[in-house]
Amino acid sequence: MSAATAPTAGRKTLAVLLLVPALAALVLWTFAWPAARVAPRDLPVGVAGPAAAADGVARELGRHEGAFEIHRYEDAAAARSAVENREVYGAVVVTPAGPELLTASAGSPVVAGLLREAVAGPAATEGRTVPVTDVVALPSGDPRGAVLGASLLPLAVAGAATGVITVLLGLRGARAAATLAGASALAGLTGAALAHGWLGALAGDFWAEAGVLALTVLAIGATFAGLATVLGKRGFGLAAVLTVLAGNAFSGMASAPELLPSGIGLLGQWLPPGAGGTALRSVAYFDGAGAGGPLLVLALWAAAGLTALALGGRRRTAPAAAPAPVPVPAATG
């Protein structure tokens, strides 16, 4: 080994020794920090019933400072409708016989449990029972919502693979867009067939679920392809951070966006995995209620990625300008 090679190899070894722990720390922080700080933050909850009694319930919930965002409703029917339309995660209905709790485990099993603890728990210590109605329950094929929470990483991987392969194969322009769209559609159909048909974890319209899955894969794949077209190989790294890393960790699918640290849950809903997960939950359990915003986010990511891919492809395929003729000196006699 030459003297010049040894320092170069040493620097590469040192870079690996420093970068690997740093990368591990980044990944651990990204996933572990939000999970360790799960707590209700302005969680939308409804209260319905006579004004005086409802005010008392609102004050009780208000003792959990910053935990709940109270929405008032006239009666039980209005509160139930709000839960079904994803306006609130649950509601306390004050009746002559006492309070009743409406939850939606399909919206978040974790939140449903927190509401039972906050509302039914104090009553139990006083020897009272608060009836609990699960207005929108999870299907029997996924009673804990585990399948839905675990679906984001496979979607992110499928989207990443689609975008990376499209770029590495050298596809450009309309052909690249068609490849991304076709692969995403097939991935969406496959995912819906597994989660809905085989596992029974999704309970909505099959084609709507497949469409959301396909759009999520397309948004992630287009992000990879578009950023790589604009930034080169560095674009793959940025796309991986936005989708596979931060997108999954900040999605709130394992709990709820409102349970993550302030700002993190909102950020996660602006990234493709979080938007895709929320849209899938809406179409799978709530007849599409609340899906409009997340679908718009996915469409914007997909459109931006495909636009970058198309513009980059045009620049690379544009004919080069003809070189200027080289003057030839005149022959001398």
Side-chain angles (χ1 to χ4, degrees):
M1 180 183 295
S2 66
T5 305
T8 301
R11 285 194 294 269
K12 291 181 178 179
T13 301
L14 180 60
V16 172
L17 294 176
L18 293 176
L19 288 177
V20 170
L23 179 61
L26 175 62
V27 174
L28 180 62
W29 174 84
T30 303
F31 281 91
W33 173 61
R37 298 293 185 269
V38 167
R41 297 172 176 86
D42 294 324
L43 196 69
V45 175
V47 175
D55 287 342
V57 172
R59 283 194 299 270
E60 286 295 322
L61 293 176
R63 292 182 179 181
H64 304 272
E65 188 174 354
F68 300 110
E69 179 184 279
I70 306 300
H71 296 246
R72 301 295 292 267
Y73 299 99
E74 292 184 2
D75 51 30
R80 187 184 187 94
S81 177
V83 175
E84 293 172 340
N85 290 323
R86 303 204 71 185
E87 296 173 13
V88 293
Y89 280 94
V92 181
V93 180
V94 182
T95 70
E100 297 180 1
L101 176 62
L102 306 179
T103 65
S105 61
S108 170
V110 176
V111 171
L114 286 173
L115 291 178
R116 284 194 297 270
E117 180 181 342
V119 177
T125 61
E126 300 173 2
R128 296 183 292 109
T129 300
V130 176
V132 179
T133 301
D134 196 350
V135 176
V136 186
L138 285 162
S140 58
D142 188 23
R144 295 178 179 83
V147 173
L148 189 66
S151 64
L152 288 188
L153 184 57
L155 288 177
V157 172
T162 303
V164 170
I165 292 172
T166 298
V167 172
L168 294 183
L169 290 178
L171 301 178
R172 298 287 181 267
R175 185 178 295 275
T179 300
L180 284 169
S184 299
L186 292 175
L189 289 171
T190 303
L194 291 173
H196 182 115
W198 179 45
L199 297 174
L202 305 180
D205 179 77
F206 174 87
W207 295 105
E209 294 162 356
V212 170
L213 292 171
L215 183 57
T216 303
V217 174
L218 178 60
I220 296 171
T223 299
F224 270 83
L227 287 175
T229 301
V230 174
L231 302 177
K233 292 183 179 179
R234 292 173 297 178
F236 288 147
L238 179 57
V241 170
L242 291 173
T243 58
V244 179
L245 188 58
N248 279 276
F250 299 165
S251 67
M253 286 301 295
S255 53
E258 292 85 357
L259 299 185
L260 299 182
S262 299
I264 294 298
L266 179 60
L267 173 61
Q269 294 305 296
W270 281 97
L271 298 176
T278 299
L280 181 60
R281 191 186 293 277
S282 291
V283 301
Y285 308 129
F286 294 88
D287 293 327
L295 290 176
L296 177 60
V297 171
L298 291 175
L300 291 175
W301 279 96
L306 292 176
T307 300
L309 182 62
L311 294 178
R314 287 182 181 179
R315 286 198 300 268
R316 294 191 180 191
T317 57
V326 179
V328 178
T332 58

